[in-house]
Amino acid sequence: MIEIQSVINKYPKKGPIIQYGTAGFRTIAENLDHIAFRMGLLAALRSKGKGSAAIGLMITASHNPEADNGVKMIDPHGEMLEQKWESIATELANADDNLVQEELNRIVSELGIDISKPAHVFIGRDTRPSSLHLSKAAMDGVEVLSGFVKDHGIVTTPMLHYFVYSYNIGPSNEISYRENYLSRFTAAFKALRKESNKNVNYEATLDFDGANGVGAIAMQEFLSRLGNSLIVNIYNSDTSTKGKLNFKCGADFVKTNQKPPEGVVIVPNRRIVSVDGDADRVIYSYVDENGIFHLLDGDNIATLVAGYLMDLVRDSGLDLKLGLVQTAYANGNSTRYISEKLRVPVACACTGVKHLHHKALEYDIGVYFEANGHGTVLFSNNARNLITQAAADERLPDSKRQMVIRLKQLTELINSTVGDAISDMFLVETVLYFRGWSAQDWFSVYSNLPNRLSKVTIKDRNTIKTTDADRKCTSPEGLQEAIDKIVKEYPSGRSFVRPSGTEDIVRIYAEAESQEAADELATRVSRLVYDIAGGIGSFP
């Protein structure tokens, strides 16, 4: 192992113990220098151990406030880091400075990594002021182990996932990764727009809330390629002069507060598309002519997409198994509509994209979306092969072949490596266009039960333990029984709690027949969590 202690001393450990959670490491930016450097080291080792495949490191805290930041690793096929390596990352991140060398030697020895192999690491960052410095720390970590760094600069998280995947599946060509990403999704979207829609309710104009982050930059790049196929008004696009990242705007703000983002000029009934700080979540909304706000979240997107795909699969005649994966956060009415009306099989997985992604792989076509707007569609190799073969079969009746061709175009439109806010937006716009639906038409498909998402800060998030895909709390003792007792008081009531994957907070979800009841239920459960699980700070 190369002697690296002098470089380790450049990034001394600071801050409390931190865990690699659902979205990597995430905390206040000033405590992340040593984490970024050590993840550069680990990414280099991961690459060496994977036959020199490219590994990604994204510097972002997604929907968190601008003062926070984070680091997450991307595996060779653009997927989330293998679960086994999450604990390895946690151990390395929290090792004392004088033990980092020893920890690296242990990883190399136990996993049989050939340290002489080349390493390739792709690094990207969001627009936070701290991201440039942290990306340089990560690069130092890669380079001290003689790894090769490709700095992709400011990119969305889905873009970096796509770049890693593209590098590893085949030799690079003259087209840059960025250009390949932009041209692929634009071409697929424009090809699907050639289909005629069924009525005139759909309008091709929408307002895009960029959360004052990198999503606005990416959307601007897409605009120059879209022509007249989609008219997009971009708001909340400048972090330096118009607003802070994710502050009173963006997907998480709209979903959590259930009101339109600030900074967007409201036009009655016009679709508002809100993404988060690194553009891997998307939420739709609109304000009607009476000034009433309407939310179309991940559940609505999942319902729209699953219904459309079910129609295509049925009309194509292909023998493909389609399924939808949700989390406990999925609205009860959405689950009932999907299973009873659309007759699409529904499975529930633990919260976190890695869990949904894994479950979705069980289907030929697996749709997964969290209520927060993070999701995508996966096509198995079997599905891709059947679709490709059928599209080339000239003996297939024209009506069926058109459906097959549309399915093939959708495989090009969807970024299956990870949830991608802009790719998902193109998918939603494709379905709305084909259906000929306005936002109001979409909203009227089914009515979500009123709900409320809140959170409570506690001393240690590990106090909360759950089972049954996060729907039941097993620790601390007595909390679930107390929740069940309160829920029984509310018609159509449901509530559950789960610990954050990155912070010492507990998230509380509640739904009931009225918004007032849902708010009251969320508050009462929040107070239970505070009292029983060691709450700190303000009492809910």
Side-chain angles (χ1 to χ4, degrees), residues 158-338:
M159 288 171 77
L160 191 66
H161 279 260
Y162 184 83
F163 297 168
V164 169
Y165 170 76
S166 297
Y167 176 88
N168 289 323
I169 63 170
S172 58
N173 52 38
E174 295 300 318
I175 301 177
S176 72
Y177 295 107
R178 196 182 199 101
E179 179 58 36
N180 177 270
Y181 172 89
L182 294 168
S183 60
R184 169 186 164 170
F185 295 115
T186 304
F189 178 70
K190 293 172 78 172
L192 283 157
R193 298 294 263 201
K194 292 178 182 177
E195 298 288 339
S196 60
N197 58 357
K198 294 182 177 179
N199 61 53
V200 296
N201 286 350
Y202 178 83
E203 294 185 3
T205 300
L206 58 82
D207 295 328
F208 185 89
D209 163 26
N212 291 313
V214 67
I217 297 173
M219 192 67 247
Q220 191 64 54
E221 291 181 279
F222 273 112
L223 273 187
S224 63
R225 295 164 170 80
L226 287 172
N228 294 324
S229 59
L230 192 66
I231 310 303
V232 182
N233 303 309
I234 301 176
Y235 296 95
N236 297 325
S237 61
D238 190 337
T239 57
S240 64
T241 60
K242 293 184 181 178
K244 292 184 178 180
L245 185 68
N246 297 319
F247 183 66
K248 293 186 177 181
C249 61
D252 189 62
F253 172 83
V254 174
K255 169 64 176 172
T256 302
N257 294 279
Q258 299 188 28
K259 62 182 181 181
E262 294 189 6
V264 174
V265 177
I266 301 299
V267 176
N269 298 318
R270 179 182 288 172
R271 300 183 303 286
I272 302 172
V273 179
S274 295
V275 304
D276 62 338
D278 65 337
D280 62 0
R281 295 184 183 186
V282 61
I283 293 289
Y284 273 71
S285 64
Y286 70 97
V287 177
D288 66 23
E289 62 275 9
N290 297 315
I292 299 173
F293 172 78
H294 300 273
L295 178 70
L296 292 153
D297 63 11
D299 292 338
N300 299 94
I301 294 172
T303 303
L304 182 76
V305 169
Y308 179 62
L309 287 170
M310 180 61 93
D311 287 348
L312 291 182
V313 169
R314 182 192 63 242
D315 294 344
S316 70
L318 296 179
D319 183 16
L320 295 172
K321 182 183 177 185
L322 171 71
L324 176 70
V325 185
Q326 296 183 314
T327 70
Y329 287 108
N331 193 276
N333 279 358
S334 78
T335 305
R336 280 187 285 275
Y337 178 80
I338 293 163

Side-chain angles (χ1 to χ4, degrees), residues 398-411:
D398 187 62
S399 59
K400 289 187 175 182
R401 194 175 180 209
Q402 288 303 313
M403 298 302 104
V404 172
I405 291 172
R406 196 172 296 156
L407 279 170
K408 191 173 189 302
Q409 290 169 331
L410 285 171
T411 66

